[in-house]
Amino acid sequence: GRGGRRAVSTAHELRVGLMTGEKAVPLLAAAHTGAFARRGVAVRLTVVTGAAERDAAFLAGEFDVALMNLVSVLRIHMTTAAMRIMTNLLDGPGEGGMFRLLAGPAGPPPGGPAEARARPVLAVSRGTIADFSAFCLLGLLDRDWAEVTVVDIQDITARGRALVGGAVDWAVLPEPAGSWCLSRGCTVMATDRTLTPPGPALCTAAGERAPEAGAAAAFLAACRDGAAAVAASPGLAREVLTAQGIETDDRWSPPPYRIGGLPTVADVAAVLEWMASTAPGPAGRSGPTTADRSAYAIHHALVG
């Protein structure tokens, strides 16, 4: 729990905050296989259930590094604390997409008869990449926010269970939660596989809170070792997630991790456009004013 985390790190330990999804796999695999120790860096991994918990812990100084997507990075960078992106974890979506819009077991197939509710209840994590993805995925179906009732469920596992249990009609979910839902009768309405969404990134605060250069390099090298171990033995991915209590399913396989890439200016511009939108929709797009800050300047501040 949050109360058990140390507020101050030692000089020799990197405290890393992760989410309950497939993006955590390379780091979990690095810990499981001893890669961090072999690279000479002490790392404490903490898995959290939702973006709000992760961001609060990061801003409170409880994490030195956090696994985030560009929506959270930009929101924090532009309103609260300067950020630096260390690396992306993926070049693009895996076979099933990075996020999918799913209908619950009782829902109609896409293009089928009218839904039981006049406005389907859609579960997202508001103000996060899942929120951004919902906006994009609804667009693929020629729908908009006015046609759905949005509810905020930050916890990824709880969001999937709400969909399977019928508490909501639709949900935007990452893997492996999406495959877990599919095995329980849910259906895919839209996927971001063709949309080149911004990838997940390992981030740190700019300035004094950033890890020392040698420790950062050793940390990233160990993460690459973890990714290589998963590529060589895909079953390791399910093993390390299961060990963390993260539900997986046989339908899921790990995506091709590639540690070392960085987001592009176009990635930053796409998220800024969404954040600045005045279209009605979930919370999270009010706040940062982007008019006087170009995507290029922000990108440069984030990645150098």
Side-chain angles (χ1 to χ4, degrees), residues 85-161:
I85 295 176
M86 301 172 72
T87 181
N88 275 2
L89 294 183
L90 297 169
D91 284 333
E95 188 68 25
M98 200 174 296
F99 283 88
R100 288 182 283 192
L101 175 59
L102 303 180
E115 291 81 2
R117 297 188 244 258
R119 285 160 52 104
V121 176
L122 167 63
V124 301
S125 175
R126 300 175 86 175
T128 72
I129 188 66
D131 193 355
F132 172 80
S133 295
F135 176 80
C136 298
L137 295 173
L138 284 171
L140 290 179
L141 301 175
D142 292 323
R143 294 176 178 266
D144 60 35
W145 292 120
E147 299 176 65
V148 297
T149 298
V150 178
V151 296
D152 181 23
I153 304 179
Q154 290 276 329
D155 185 314
I156 295 169
T157 300
R159 202 183 318 153
R161 290 188 176 279

Side-chain angles (χ1 to χ4, degrees), residues 6 31 33 42-43 56 80 94 99-100 114 120 134 160 166 182 196-197 211 223 256 282-283 289 297 301:
R6 289 213 308 264
T33 59
V43 175
T80 310
F99 283 88
R100 288 182 283 192
L182 290 177
T196 61
C223 292
T289 300

Side-chain angles (χ1 to χ4, degrees), residues 3 5 16 51 60 63 99 113 123 132 139-140 180 252 263 266 271 299 303:
R5 300 187 193 136
V16 183
F63 296 146
F99 283 88
F132 172 80
L140 290 179
W180 182 86
W252 174 76
V271 176
H299 177 267
V303 306

